[in-house]
Amino acid sequence: MRTSYRYRYAIWGFLIAMAYTALLFVLHYLISSGGPSHLLHESPAAVITVILSLPLCLLSGWLLGSERDRRAELDRILEREKDHLEMAENLSLLLRRAEDSRRMAGIAAREIKHPLTSLVGYSLTLNQYWEKLDEQQKRDFLNYIRVSATRLEGMINDLSRILDLAHEPGYMETTPVNPSETLKEAAALVEDIYSPRGTTLNVRLLTDIPAIQADPSRLFDLLYNLLDLSMRCCRERDMVSAWCSIRGESLVLSVRCPHPTPNGETLGAINVWPPHLTEGELPTLAMEYRLASRLAEELGGSLRLDYSQKAGLSLSLTLPLRVSS
């Protein structure tokens, strides 16, 4: 329990006044060998002044303590207000995160229907016409089923990551990760998914990229979404290019789709969240870009999107080059 400063200061003031009074009588006794009555007889004004100093010191201590109590109470009020503001800001941030995740999850759930429908359709067709299909047709249908299953797995993984983003990010354990290997794995998976369209992915890597400290699953999901976004925009039988560079203390991954199929208005609105359209390809593209941006932030990096009619669609990911020891 806090002790009031007014009482503490008043007592100290009274004790100081008493000490000075006692010191006066002691000095008078030492000098003149007289008692208090002798001092009162010789210097009544001095004695009265000293006696009056007792209530004055008591009152001064009370006033000083009251002022300090007022300041302390004001500090406590300001501290409580600061705590309330921080709580309100944290609550607002969590609500925005939850709303973002709700929107993204809704788009991802709708997107899941496409590979799921393809998977069911291919399976039913294969089951019904198995005896009538030749070996090449059977292999083609099995390949379509595999690709649809891979796409479905990727979308479910994105949905799980989106739901995680609704919560306050906790401690993220990082390990040394080779970005080249992670990029190769993501590129192989994405290229396999879009192989029925004849779309290819040209990845150019530096030979001296060091391992960085990062969360492996987040890094893979980030690179997967960047490549998937570019391949989704790429027209059939065209190519997407990806290359790495080191700029200062940062690792930069650039992905370029020179001939995107969506129109310029759609491509220019990918980095606007929430998307202004609820139908068509824009919500899915914006969701993937939003998810990639959030993952880049969690890894301490940043993501930028550029579009021009001459250069096409370009994505630039910057990650801190924390070299593992």
Side-chain angles (χ1 to χ4, degrees), residues 271-293:
N271 57 352
V272 177
W273 186 262
H276 65 276
L277 297 178
T278 57
E279 301 294 336
E281 56 194 346
L282 176 60
T284 302
L285 297 176
M287 181 273 294
E288 281 203 301
Y289 182 80
R290 180 68 172 178
L291 177 57
S293 297

Side-chain angles (χ1 to χ4, degrees), residues 13 20 76-77 94-95 121 127-128 185 198 226 234 240 242 251 258-259 268 293-294 301 306:
Y20 273 107
R76 286 192 293 269
I77 293 175
L94 289 175
L95 291 175
N127 180 65
Q128 184 176 358
E185 294 174 7
L226 285 183
C234 186
V240 170
L251 173 67
H259 307 107
S293 297
R294 295 285 296 276
D306 296 303

Side-chain angles (χ1 to χ4, degrees), residues 148-193:
S148 297
T150 304
R151 161 61 71 183
L152 181 61
E153 182 183 7
M155 292 304 302
I156 293 176
N157 184 65
D158 281 349
L159 182 58
S160 175
R161 184 67 70 185
I162 288 170
L163 295 178
D164 289 340
L165 292 176
H167 307 289
E168 186 72 20
Y171 173 74
M172 181 174 61
E173 185 175 357
T174 60
T175 58
V177 182
N178 189 325
S180 298
E181 294 298 327
T182 305
L183 181 59
K184 289 179 182 178
E185 294 174 7
L189 182 60
V190 172
E191 191 170 23
D192 186 49
I193 291 175

Side-chain angles (χ1 to χ4, degrees), residues 85-103:
L85 287 175
E86 290 180 355
M87 292 175 60
E89 290 177 357
N90 291 335
L91 179 59
S92 177
L93 178 60
L94 289 175
L95 291 175
R96 289 197 301 269
R97 287 180 179 272
E99 179 63 19
D100 272 3
S101 295
R102 185 191 66 80
R103 292 177 182 271

Side-chain angles (χ1 to χ4, degrees), residues 24-313:
L24 176 66
F25 287 125
V26 169
L27 291 175
H28 175 73
Y29 177 77
L30 293 176
I31 295 174
S32 61
S33 299
S37 58
H38 183 262
L39 177 62
L40 180 62
H41 178 73
E42 289 187 352
S43 304
V47 174
I48 293 174
T49 301
V50 170
I51 293 176
L52 288 178
S53 68
L54 294 176
L56 289 177
C57 289
L58 183 67
L59 180 60
S60 298
W62 176 273
L63 294 177
L64 291 175
S66 298
E67 177 62 20
R68 182 161 181 181
D69 282 340
R70 186 187 68 81
R71 293 181 180 180
E73 183 63 25
L74 181 60
D75 290 341
R76 286 192 293 269
I77 293 175
L78 292 176
E79 188 66 26
R80 285 198 299 268
E81 289 294 327
K82 182 180 179 181
D83 292 340
H84 291 163
L85 287 175
E86 290 180 355
M87 292 175 60
E89 290 177 357
N90 291 335
L91 179 59
S92 177
L93 178 60
L94 289 175
L95 291 175
R96 289 197 301 269
R97 287 180 179 272
E99 179 63 19
D100 272 3
S101 295
R102 185 191 66 80
R103 292 177 182 271
M104 295 166 68
I107 296 172
R110 291 198 302 269
E111 185 66 19
I112 286 176
K113 296 179 181 178
H114 300 300
L116 183 59
T117 302
S118 300
L119 189 62
V120 173
Y122 290 139
S123 300
L124 292 176
T125 302
L126 191 60
N127 180 65
Q128 184 176 358
Y129 298 101
W130 178 265
E131 300 297 335
K132 299 179 181 180
L133 299 175
D134 58 31
E135 292 301 320
Q136 183 59 45
Q137 289 174 326
K138 291 177 182 179
R139 282 194 295 268
D140 290 341
F141 270 100
L142 290 175
N143 184 61
Y144 294 151
I145 291 174
R146 180 183 57 80
V147 169
S148 297
T150 304
R151 161 61 71 183
L152 181 61
E153 182 183 7
M155 292 304 302
I156 293 176
N157 184 65
D158 281 349
L159 182 58
S160 175
R161 184 67 70 185
I162 288 170
L163 295 178
D164 289 340
L165 292 176
H167 307 289
E168 186 72 20
Y171 173 74
M172 181 174 61
E173 185 175 357
T174 60
T175 58
V177 182
N178 189 325
S180 298
E181 294 298 327
T182 305
L183 181 59
K184 289 179 182 178
E185 294 174 7
L189 182 60
V190 172
E191 191 170 23
D192 186 49
I193 291 175
Y194 288 93
S195 58
R197 297 174 51 186
T199 309
T200 58
L201 183 58
N202 179 28
V203 179
R204 291 172 289 171
L205 299 174
L206 297 176
T207 58
D208 56 346
I209 297 180
I212 62 174
Q213 292 290 337
D215 179 78
S217 63
R218 280 180 170 84
L219 181 60
F220 179 85
D221 291 344
L222 170 57
L223 298 180
Y224 171 84
N225 277 275
L226 285 183
L227 298 177
D228 185 74
L229 173 61
S230 300
M231 295 286 277
R232 187 187 293 270
C233 293
C234 186
R235 65 188 182 185
E236 293 186 6
R237 305 192 181 281
D238 205 343
M239 183 178 65
V240 170
S241 300
W243 64 94
C244 289
S245 61
I246 296 178
R247 300 176 187 172
E249 298 298 323
S250 298
L251 173 67
V252 179
L253 170 66
S254 302
V255 183
R256 181 169 172 264
C257 176
H259 307 107
T261 55
N263 57 46
E265 181 181 357
T266 299
L267 294 172
I270 290 177
N271 57 352
V272 177
W273 186 262
H276 65 276
L277 297 178
T278 57
E279 301 294 336
E281 56 194 346
L282 176 60
T284 302
L285 297 176
M287 181 273 294
E288 281 203 301
Y289 182 80
R290 180 68 172 178
L291 177 57
S293 297
R294 295 285 296 276
L295 290 173
E297 291 175 2
E298 289 190 350
L299 292 173
S302 61
L303 180 63
R304 189 182 77 249
L305 180 146
D306 296 303
Y307 167 72
S308 66
Q309 292 183 350
K310 183 178 180 180
L313 177 67

